[in-house]
């Protein structure tokens, strides 16, 4: 599995209802997408302590699905509207979701540096334990953990039913406009 995310920073005065409407009108187009596990349509709002941004997050079952999406009409339309964004991808060590993952309305992304001396096998096992333990929380609907061997960094995402009780320092907080589940 692979993760993929791009973030489109928008001006502070950008009418974010345009993004919400775009998600509502076009989000269904990724339902059942071949090779996709899930896509979370993430966005943040300046008044909520972030910056206006559209930042969808994908968990891919296959590299071919990711490849076909990036070279297909959906990504072309996004690039035509906002410019071609930098796409960040990583190798997933953990990715699981509950049957009601489409009910997610909030997301938290954590980015961590990896130590040069740590065992990747040990870290991979620890990330699987992290995911399985956190997924027992009723508020958690989907989790993924992935590492980027180009930057030796780790990205974790949690899709939540309700907003977290706290805003963890250094984490990115997003609203989830929709979750699409891919083809099995």
């Amino acid at each position: 599995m692979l993760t993929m995310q791009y973030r489109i920073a928008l001006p502070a005065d950008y009418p974010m209802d345009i993004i919400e409407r775009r998600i509502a009108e076009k989000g269904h187009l990724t339902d059942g997408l071949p090779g996709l596990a899930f896509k979370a349509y993430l966005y943040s709002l300046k008044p909520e302590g972030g910056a206006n941004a559209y930042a969808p997050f994908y968990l891919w079952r296959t590299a071919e699905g990711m490849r076909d999406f990036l070279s297909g009409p959906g990504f072309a339309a996004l690039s035509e509207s906002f410019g071609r964004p930098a796409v960040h991808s990583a190798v997933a060590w953990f990715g699981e979701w509950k049957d009601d993952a489409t009910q997610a309305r909030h997301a938290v992304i954590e980015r961590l540096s990896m130590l040069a001396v740590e065992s990747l096998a040990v870290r991979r096992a620890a990330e699987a334990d992290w995911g399985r333990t956190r997924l027992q929380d009723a508020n958690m609907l989907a989790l993924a953990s992935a590492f980027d061997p180009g930057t030796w960094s780790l990205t974790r995402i949690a899709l939540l039913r309700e907003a977290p009780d706290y805003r963890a320092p250094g984490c990115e907080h997003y609203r989830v406009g929709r979750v699409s589940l891919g083809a099995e």
Side-chain angles (χ1 to χ4, degrees):
M1 286 191 296
L2 300 166
T3 63
M4 180 180 99
Q5 185 180 31
Y6 46 87
R7 187 175 189 280
I8 299 168
L10 300 165
D13 61 349
Y14 188 86
M16 291 301 287
D17 59 320
I18 293 172
I19 297 299
E20 291 169 332
R21 200 168 41 253
R22 182 184 186 100
I23 293 168
E25 292 172 0
K26 298 183 179 195
H28 71 280
L29 297 174
T30 54
D31 291 349
L33 196 65
L36 181 69
F38 69 78
K39 175 182 180 178
Y41 288 82
L42 308 182
Y43 64 100
S44 60
L45 305 172
K46 183 174 176 17
E48 295 179 356
N52 287 346
Y54 176 52
F57 188 96
Y58 303 74
L59 178 65
W60 292 100
R61 293 177 197 272
T62 68
E64 292 80 12
M66 184 173 133
R67 175 202 64 206
D68 293 348
F69 173 77
L70 288 172
S71 59
F75 191 72
L78 175 114
S79 297
E80 188 174 303
S81 295
F82 298 103
R84 187 183 296 167
V87 177
H88 303 280
S89 62
V91 178
W93 272 339
F94 180 84
E96 290 187 15
W97 54 97
K98 295 178 181 175
D99 290 339
D100 57 350
T102 58
Q103 301 298 312
R105 294 297 170 256
H106 298 273
V108 177
I109 296 180
E110 180 180 24
R111 300 185 197 282
L112 305 165
S113 296
M114 296 175 66
L115 301 173
V117 295
E118 73 181 303
S119 162
L120 296 181
V122 169
R123 184 60 182 254
R124 180 179 177 187
E127 290 304 305
D129 289 343
W130 165 85
R132 287 189 193 97
T133 300
R134 298 278 317 265
L135 210 49
Q136 293 175 24
D137 180 332
N139 195 32
M140 297 288 169
L141 296 175
L143 291 162
S145 173
F147 86 104
D148 178 349
T151 60
W152 294 108
S153 60
L154 182 73
T155 299
R156 291 174 171 168
I157 184 171
L159 300 184
L160 308 142
R161 187 182 316 279
E162 303 290 333
D165 295 336
Y166 62 95
R167 291 183 73 87
C171 290
E172 301 164 23
H173 295 260
Y174 293 97
R175 286 186 179 206
V176 178
R178 183 176 212 293
V179 175
S180 284
L181 298 177
E184 299 251 350

